[in-house]
Amino acid sequence: MKLYETILFNQIKKKSKVIDLGCGGGVLLNELIHEKSCDGYGIEQNFQEVLVAMGRGIPVYQGDILDGLKQFDDGTFDIAILSQTLQQVMNPIDVIHEMCRVSKKAIVTFPNFGHWKVRFHLLTKGYSPKTKQLPHEWHNTPNIRVITIKDFRKLCAENNINILKEIPLAKFKFQRLMFPLRFTNFWTEKGIFMIEKKN
Amino acid sequence: MTQQQFKIADAHKISLDSGRHLEEITIAYHTFGELNAAKTNVILICHPLTGSSNAMEWWPKIVGPGLAIDTNQYFVICTNALGGCSGTTGPASINPKTNTPYLLDFPVVTIADMVRVQRELIGHLGINKIKMVIGGSMGGMQALEWVAQASELIESCVPIASTTKVSPLAVAFDSVGRKSIMEQLKSGHGEAGLAVARQLGHITYLSEEAMEQKFSRNLQHSDAYQYHLEPEFQIESYLNYQGEKFLGRFNLYAYLVLTKAVSYFDLERSYGSIEKAIGHSSAKFLVMAITSDWLYTANQSKALAYQLMKLNKHVSYVEIDSDYGHDTFLIDSDETKQVIKCFLDSL
């Protein structure tokens, strides 16, 4: 598992009922099922990835995230995960609302467009930023949304969503220790948020 | 690997959906591979409309040693459907009351009746766990019906290019096919009617893209139009060939009975709802659809998957992206093989 997947893994309680949106080959779900006795469901569009996840014994819906989410009753899951996928969905607000409807809590992670490397790239080079996190050209990127950590906080505030936890993710531990939360938009490569619907 | 037969004792006790009874029922079946001592490696394959119990013959790339349904590992059973014409009791069988073939007097059976009869065989073989029941098209309907009738036996269910409720479009095609046969029967040319019905069927098994790729508007014998009414287009020759080829191997009365069984299939109507039909099952489901299938569309498969998701079942939904239409699951499709193998390996 990658660092952010380990962080996600640590956030999820034993025996949770988990849905992973854009689950890929089901690496995270597989760990949760085997290490934490979780009950897992995946949604994934890519056929080959679906097969990998299915081969691991995970039930997967091949198709659109929103189409899949709509089928579940309110509160079906304990945790809904949208990891590194928010920047690729057409209708992020609908997806977030649906996640908070079908699940008691939701975790969202995304590449932070406010990261200093991205800002520096644009400032000095003048081209659309390309970094390790955002490696594509502007014309072929699957990342159709550009999100910063501040953007996400604002979106939650405007959409009746509580932020339960915000976990700054930077490569080096000292960055996480040294910088208070209000600088995370600058220092962290990925935003990791645990959210729920306000009552 | 030769066909075996099992004669049901007290066949007349089986009450068909029509309320009628058959005096005698013989089930023709094939088995492939070895049943393990614990009897836990059973796979039941249900054949599509014109298949037979010889699954290795009509599904050669899927069933066999080392293949997706690996006969080195599993004990595979496939029966000829009730009302068919490849060994199991059907309209061409002798009616013991009259000592002549039933023909049009054969009871109109249903998918549920087919499964009732298969259950007799499974009981006779002493099997009380079926690791996977799988089938495409009409076979998928039987697989779902198996869960509805005997959920305690079924560990996983794989309907491919199938539906829980045959659409009016599909009923319409089958209806025209039957009408073609019935009209021709009046003048004693039932076979000609069957050939036309088969041609119509083949159109529904293909897709616009598949026909474009295989035949386009090409002419069979010349580049110039002949301005006569005989078949000229390659697609016409293909359909004629398929119609003629079918006559040698299929009984027209069985075609009438089986297509009617398909037309009647509607799990919701039979059980009240999908939840009542299969909601009590703890089986794992794999719903497979084919993107270009216009007979039992991907949306129909998706609707089934959605209902199973809502019921919190262990269900996967997978789409085979193919231009070849409904018949994709029968042709040599790498994707079909991969999906079945992945699912089976995970069980």
Side-chain angles (χ1 to χ4, degrees):
Chain A
M1 285 195 295
K2 293 176 181 152
L3 177 59
Y4 71 93
E5 287 174 323
T6 308
I7 293 176
L8 287 185
F9 178 84
N10 291 335
Q11 294 300 317
I12 293 165
K13 290 187 185 136
K14 279 188 177 173
K15 296 191 176 173
S16 295
K17 204 164 154 45
V18 186
I19 183 164
D20 190 353
L21 311 168
C23 67
V27 173
L28 179 62
L29 281 177
N30 193 45
E31 289 290 322
L32 289 168
I33 290 165
H34 288 106
E35 303 298 323
K36 292 197 168 178
S37 309
C38 288
D39 189 1
Y41 197 90
I43 298 182
E44 173 60 47
Q45 266 186 335
N46 180 286
F47 176 80
Q48 289 300 336
E49 299 270 37
V50 167
L51 291 198
V52 175
M54 217 171 65
R56 292 182 155 129
I58 300 164
V60 191
Y61 168 74
Q62 185 196 347
D64 178 68
I65 287 175
L66 205 52
D67 288 345
L69 277 174
K70 281 181 183 161
Q71 309 315 320
F72 294 102
D73 286 339
D74 296 1
T76 298
F77 298 95
D78 299 310
I79 286 275
I81 300 169
L82 184 71
S83 183
Q84 300 302 102
T85 306
L86 183 66
Q87 75 279 6
Q88 295 177 6
V89 300
M90 276 305 290
N91 29 23
I93 296 180
D94 292 344
V95 168
I96 287 168
H97 279 307
E98 275 299 284
M99 286 173 80
C100 292
R101 180 186 66 78
V102 304
S103 179
K104 291 168 191 100
K105 290 175 188 168
I107 296 179
V108 179
T109 87
F110 52 87
N112 175 25
F113 217 74
H115 186 237
W116 68 269
K117 273 190 189 166
V118 179
R119 299 186 193 201
F120 194 67
H121 191 292
L122 185 60
L123 187 69
T124 57
K125 299 191 177 168
Y127 292 106
S128 293
K130 261 170 72 177
T131 64
K132 220 173 170 183
Q133 300 291 323
L134 299 155
H136 304 275
E137 295 288 346
W138 65 271
H139 49 82
N140 65 6
T141 178
N143 302 324
I144 55 170
R145 307 282 173 211
V146 173
I147 323 153
T148 70
I149 285 180
K150 276 188 172 176
D151 284 327
F152 191 77
R153 289 181 195 141
K154 182 164 168 262
L155 180 113
C156 291
E158 289 169 358
N159 283 279
N160 224 19
I161 303 285
N162 263 338
I163 296 175
L164 296 169
K165 229 183 240 181
E166 190 180 325
I167 305 158
L169 176 84
K171 207 167 186 178
F172 303 106
K173 210 173 176 185
F174 75 89
Q175 290 175 316
R176 271 178 273 157
L177 296 174
M178 275 172 61
F179 298 98
L181 210 56
R182 64 198 174 96
F183 290 124
T184 53
N185 194 33
F186 195 71
W187 278 114
T188 61
E189 291 164 354
K190 287 188 176 70
I192 303 182
F193 289 80
M194 189 184 283
I195 57 175
E196 67 174 6
K197 193 167 62 185
K198 271 184 197 159
N199 286 326
Chain B
M1 279 191 259
T2 52
Q3 194 181 56
Q4 302 171 66
Q5 297 207 323
F6 165 63
K7 195 172 171 183
I8 300 177
D10 304 329
H12 61 275
K13 284 186 184 159
I14 296 178
S15 187
L16 303 172
D17 275 339
S18 62
R20 290 182 63 184
H21 301 264
L22 284 161
E23 286 301 313
E24 284 179 13
I25 300 176
T26 300
I27 306 168
Y29 66 102
H30 273 76
T31 67
F32 310 96
E34 299 288 327
L35 182 61
N36 65 16
K39 298 188 176 180
T40 54
N41 66 335
V42 177
I43 291 179
L44 178 64
I45 298 177
C46 303
H47 70 68
L49 189 70
T50 63
S52 70
S53 62
N54 193 350
M56 271 175 80
E57 187 180 74
W58 57 263
W59 227 5
K61 306 286 182 181
I62 302 285
V63 187
L67 299 183
I69 297 178
D70 187 353
T71 52
N72 288 332
Q73 202 180 341
Y74 296 104
F75 181 61
V76 178
I77 306 171
C78 182
T79 79
N80 182 219
L82 180 69
C85 55
S86 307
T88 295
T89 300
S93 305
I94 300 292
N95 180 350
K97 279 186 181 162
T98 61
N99 276 324
T100 55
Y102 288 98
L103 304 183
L104 288 175
D105 195 34
F106 193 79
V108 173
V109 297
T110 62
I111 301 290
D113 292 333
M114 294 174 190
V115 171
R116 284 185 188 108
V117 168
Q118 286 171 10
R119 285 172 63 195
E120 296 288 330
L121 172 69
I122 297 300
H124 162 73
L125 296 174
I127 288 162
N128 45 34
K129 279 287 167 220
I130 295 175
K131 195 161 192 77
M132 175 167 85
V133 58
I134 182 170
S137 197
M138 183 182 92
M141 298 171 200
Q142 292 169 67
L144 290 167
E145 179 66 37
W146 256 99
V147 176
Q149 282 191 30
S151 64
E152 68 285 358
L153 266 67
I154 307 297
E155 293 178 337
S156 74
C157 172
V158 184
I160 306 170
S162 194
T163 181
T164 58
K165 186 161 65 176
V166 171
S167 72
L169 179 79
V171 172
F173 284 126
D174 281 339
S175 163
V176 174
R178 283 194 298 275
K179 182 155 184 167
S180 159
I181 296 171
M182 295 299 269
E183 291 293 322
Q184 293 282 6
L185 268 177
K186 288 178 192 163
S187 54
H189 299 100
E191 295 274 297
L194 179 63
V196 172
R198 178 62 168 173
Q199 291 188 21
L200 181 62
H202 259 278
I203 297 171
T204 69
Y205 307 150
L206 291 168
S207 68
E208 187 186 0
E209 300 90 332
M211 287 195 204
E212 185 63 51
Q213 284 172 27
K214 274 175 108 162
F215 313 106
S216 192
R217 286 183 50 82
N218 298 338
L219 302 177
Q220 185 72 1
H221 297 297
S222 147
D223 283 340
Y225 291 172
Q226 299 300 309
Y227 299 102
H228 58 50
L229 295 174
E230 296 307 308
E232 280 182 83
F233 292 95
Q234 279 185 7
I235 180 70
E236 290 179 284
S237 305
Y238 170 81
L239 291 174
N240 283 335
Y241 170 73
Q242 291 297 339
E244 293 303 316
K245 196 173 82 169
F246 194 53
L247 300 184
R249 73 171 183 94
F250 217 81
N251 178 275
L252 66 93
Y253 299 95
Y255 196 86
L256 292 171
V257 168
L258 293 182
T259 58
K260 195 63 194 268
V262 167
S263 295
Y264 279 136
F265 186 67
D266 179 350
L267 269 188
E268 282 171 50
R269 185 187 160 110
S270 300
Y271 292 90
S273 68
I274 295 296
E275 182 171 4
K276 284 180 187 155
I278 55 181
H280 53 287
S281 160
S282 54
K284 293 178 178 178
F285 290 86
L286 166 61
V287 181
M288 275 169 76
I290 293 154
T291 51
S292 56
D293 188 346
W294 64 297
L295 184 58
Y296 305 125
T297 61
N299 274 343
Q300 291 170 30
S301 288
K302 214 180 249 186
L304 166 61
Y306 284 169
Q307 299 195 61
L308 291 166
M309 284 160 78
K310 196 174 176 62
L311 293 168
N312 275 310
K313 298 295 167 193
H314 190 289
V315 54
S316 288
Y317 171 76
V318 181
E319 274 180 8
I320 309 289
D321 189 2
S322 156
D323 286 341
Y324 282 92
H326 183 65
D327 261 0
T328 297
F329 74 95
L330 285 173
I331 63 175
D332 185 11
S333 149
D334 283 336
E335 285 84 359
T336 310
K337 287 182 233 173
Q338 278 181 39
V339 176
I340 294 172
K341 186 168 169 35
C342 272
F343 180 74
L344 200 45
D345 286 351
S346 76
L347 292 178

